[in-house]
Amino acid sequence: MTGGIAQTVRLDGEEVTFTKANLTALNALIAEYETACARASGKTSRGRARCARWG
């Protein structure tokens, strides 16, 4: 989920490392979790077909 640059901050004995998020991957992960939560709570919605198949 992270990009390439990391920055570490130290304050009062605590150390935290921040990295730039990969927004595309983060949005995909959020959508995946939202779908899983909706399914677990019984809130399923009918989606549209992604493509029409004729044949």
Side-chain angles (χ1 to χ4, degrees):
M1 290 299 124
T2 62
I5 299 174
Q7 181 176 5
T8 302
V9 177
R10 292 178 189 90
L11 182 64
D12 295 331
E14 298 289 325
E15 183 175 304
V16 179
T17 301
F18 295 94
T19 58
K20 183 177 179 181
N22 179 336
L23 292 181
T24 303
L26 182 58
N27 286 332
L29 183 62
I30 290 169
E32 181 181 325
Y33 284 138
E34 286 177 340
T35 301
C37 288
R39 285 185 184 150
S41 65
K43 297 179 182 178
T44 57
S45 62
R46 299 274 180 202
R48 296 182 181 187
R50 293 185 181 218
C51 64
R53 292 187 181 180
W54 306 97

